[in-house]
Amino acid sequence: MFNIDKQQVLDAFRHRRATRAYDPSKKISPDDFAYILELARLSPSSIGSEPWQFLVVQNAELRGRLKPVSWGMASQVDDCSHLVVILAKKNARWDSAFLRAGLEKRGLDEEGMQRALAVYEKFQKHDMKTADDERALFDWCCKQTYIALGNMMSGAAMIGIDSCPIEGFDYEEVNRILAEAGAFDPQEWGVSVMVTFGYRARDISPRSRKPIDEIVKWLE
């Protein structure tokens, strides 16, 4: 169905680097960044929950407030083309209005809705044992955001755009700054991870990777 050259994909992955120095004179076009955001929107998530929001932080003053509490992007935040803060849902319990709304989008009737909710109740109460632990539920939603993060970064690399995932920040302070700026309701959402995009300012040496036989085990 798709005529995608495997070697070109591998080349893009091998070229990708965690970019910590961006060329401030090069900006990502609106069309290219819309493509990156569409990759995030189309990403899969557990039980189709889509427990995420994406804050594109282009305001220089707001970036400046984040910089002192975000050591992981201190060298990038001024010069990157785009900064994205990925939020995760705080309450995605099986019986939450959030998950029910997601099911309603599938066009389920009430009987189908109850069957689906019963499956998700078992999943969270028995299989993952997260239903009664707010932090565990939030962490589960955070894991889903990393699927979108990976897709955004990989898709960006395939069109020559660099990126860097950011976990090095004071989560409490970043949440406070963005919530006070009106970016989100802290009762409903929390910061999961951040990512910068742009064009590298200089060549970056490749990092080594373990050989395939050290990380893959076949069970036949």
Side-chain angles (χ1 to χ4, degrees):
M1 181 178 178
F2 300 105
N3 186 24
I4 300 174
D5 187 280
K6 292 192 293 273
Q7 189 58 52
Q8 289 179 318
V9 174
L10 287 170
D11 288 345
F13 271 62
R14 288 171 178 143
H15 179 73
R16 191 206 62 77
R17 301 283 189 274
T19 301
R20 294 180 173 83
Y22 291 98
D23 184 339
S25 69
K26 294 182 179 180
K27 301 301 179 184
I28 300 169
S29 73
D31 283 349
D32 283 348
F33 202 72
Y35 151 82
I36 291 171
L37 292 175
E38 185 67 357
L39 296 176
R41 189 183 74 86
L42 294 174
S43 294
S45 58
S46 181
I47 65 175
S49 55
E50 299 177 80
W52 47 48
Q53 287 188 0
F54 303 86
L55 306 180
V56 185
V57 183
Q58 299 302 84
N59 180 279
E61 188 274 335
L62 188 52
R63 285 191 183 188
R65 291 171 60 195
L66 292 172
K67 185 176 179 179
V69 296
S70 305
W71 57 268
M73 65 177 185
S75 64
Q76 314 163 33
V77 67
D78 294 327
D79 295 335
C80 68
S81 175
H82 289 68
L83 165 63
V84 179
V85 179
I86 307 180
L87 306 179
K89 191 73 176 72
K90 281 195 170 179
N91 178 18
R93 205 178 118 107
W94 67 273
D95 55 354
S96 67
F98 176 80
L99 271 193
R100 187 178 182 92
L103 290 173
E104 288 172 350
K105 291 180 181 178
R106 302 183 195 178
L108 297 177
D109 59 20
E110 188 57 30
E111 183 179 350
M113 177 77 71
Q114 292 305 316
R115 282 198 303 268
L117 289 174
V119 171
Y120 299 159
E121 180 182 13
K122 176 182 178 297
F123 171 62
Q124 291 186 347
K125 283 187 172 181
H126 179 269
D127 299 335
M128 290 195 73
K129 295 181 173 60
T130 58
D132 298 316
D133 186 329
E134 289 184 4
R135 179 67 205 201
L137 281 171
F138 178 65
D139 288 344
W140 172 68
C141 289
C142 287
K143 288 195 291 185
Q144 313 315 310
T145 71
Y146 276 67
I147 301 173
L149 170 69
N151 286 342
M152 294 170 78
M153 294 173 60
S154 297
M158 291 178 197
I159 61 170
I161 294 173
D162 295 303
S163 62
C164 185
I166 311 295
E167 290 184 321
F169 56 92
D170 183 326
Y171 283 75
E172 184 175 341
E173 279 299 291
V174 168
N175 273 281
R176 182 189 63 78
I177 290 167
L178 292 173
E180 288 182 356
F184 63 90
D185 180 351
Q187 299 303 311
E188 298 292 332
W189 300 91
V191 174
S192 171
V193 65
M194 299 192 282
V195 56
T196 55
F197 294 95
Y199 297 93
R200 67 187 68 177
R202 54 181 178 270
D203 289 338
I204 306 171
S205 299
R207 290 197 172 183
S208 63
R209 290 292 186 269
K210 295 177 181 178
I212 198 75
D213 59 1
E214 284 189 22
I215 62 171
V216 176
K217 180 182 290 186
W218 290 74
L219 305 179
E220 298 179 314

